[in-house]
Amino acid sequence: MNILRHYTDAIFYHYADFKGRASRSAYWFFGLVYLVLAIAATLVDILVLGNLGAIMQGSWLTLVNAYCLVTLLPALAISTRRMHDIGQSGWLQLVYIVPTLALMLALYFIISVRFDDLVYLLVFVVIVFFAFIAGAIAFTVLAAMDSQKGRNQYGPNPKESGEAA
């Protein structure tokens, strides 16, 4: 199966499908195409808005933000199915999602709000950043693991059943 097929299957046929299993190739090829399209959308935003500073100064109506919002459910769904493929719960995504949201919130406050004393906020950002890195590494290691052989509680092995996702 080609690379784009994994992406289109996840977007069109498994948009919010949190049941079943996804193979390593389906997960990683989806992620590759997702990243390439997000970079392309960012470059279009930079060309249209003039520079990266316009994006960073609070312009939420950008192509990359719209793309990320539209593809949020398929990304969460394929990650859940990938965890199911190794016999784990999809809730393991919280290992990197919670620190990511906390880091985004903290960075928003640093950028948009003026504080007299930023020391506490910066310490929080550093702690959350390391939690994010640890969570991302842990999730990446899990996502790189081989499928559980045979059928598990989430369904048949996609490699053995001939399914791609």
Side-chain angles (χ1 to χ4, degrees):
M1 183 177 268
N2 67 29
I3 293 173
L4 286 177
R5 180 65 185 255
H6 288 295
Y7 182 81
T8 57
D9 280 352
I11 295 292
F12 296 116
Y13 302 114
H14 300 284
Y15 187 83
D17 182 9
F18 291 88
K19 294 182 172 144
R21 296 167 68 170
S23 66
R24 273 190 297 192
S25 60
Y27 175 78
W28 290 108
F29 286 144
F30 173 85
L32 176 66
V33 174
Y34 181 92
L35 179 64
V36 168
L37 291 176
I39 290 170
T42 301
L43 292 175
V44 169
D45 282 340
I46 290 170
L47 292 174
V48 170
L49 296 176
N51 62 20
L52 187 58
I55 295 172
M56 298 303 291
Q57 291 176 0
S59 177
W60 290 99
L61 189 58
T62 62
L63 184 60
V64 70
N65 286 345
Y67 171 72
C68 290
L69 185 62
V70 167
T71 56
L72 178 64
L73 276 177
L76 291 172
I78 198 165
S79 294
T80 297
R81 292 193 317 274
R82 180 69 201 122
M83 290 298 101
H84 289 174
D85 192 42
I86 62 168
Q88 301 295 324
S89 169
W91 289 104
L92 277 174
Q93 294 179 83
L94 293 178
V95 165
Y96 73 90
I97 290 174
V98 170
T100 300
L101 294 175
L103 185 61
M104 289 170 54
L105 184 64
L107 291 175
Y108 170 77
F109 281 118
I110 286 175
I111 292 170
S112 65
V113 179
R114 294 204 172 253
F115 288 97
D116 293 333
D117 188 7
L118 287 176
V119 174
Y120 299 114
L121 189 57
L122 291 175
V123 168
F124 175 73
V125 167
V126 169
I127 291 169
V128 170
F129 175 75
F130 284 114
F132 163 75
I133 294 297
I137 289 170
F139 191 82
T140 301
V141 168
L142 288 171
M145 292 175 65
D146 197 11
S147 302
Q148 262 189 346
K149 302 290 182 208
R151 184 175 187 82
N152 70 11
Q153 64 191 14
Y154 301 106
N157 186 333
K159 290 193 297 190
E160 295 170 1
S161 66
E163 296 178 25

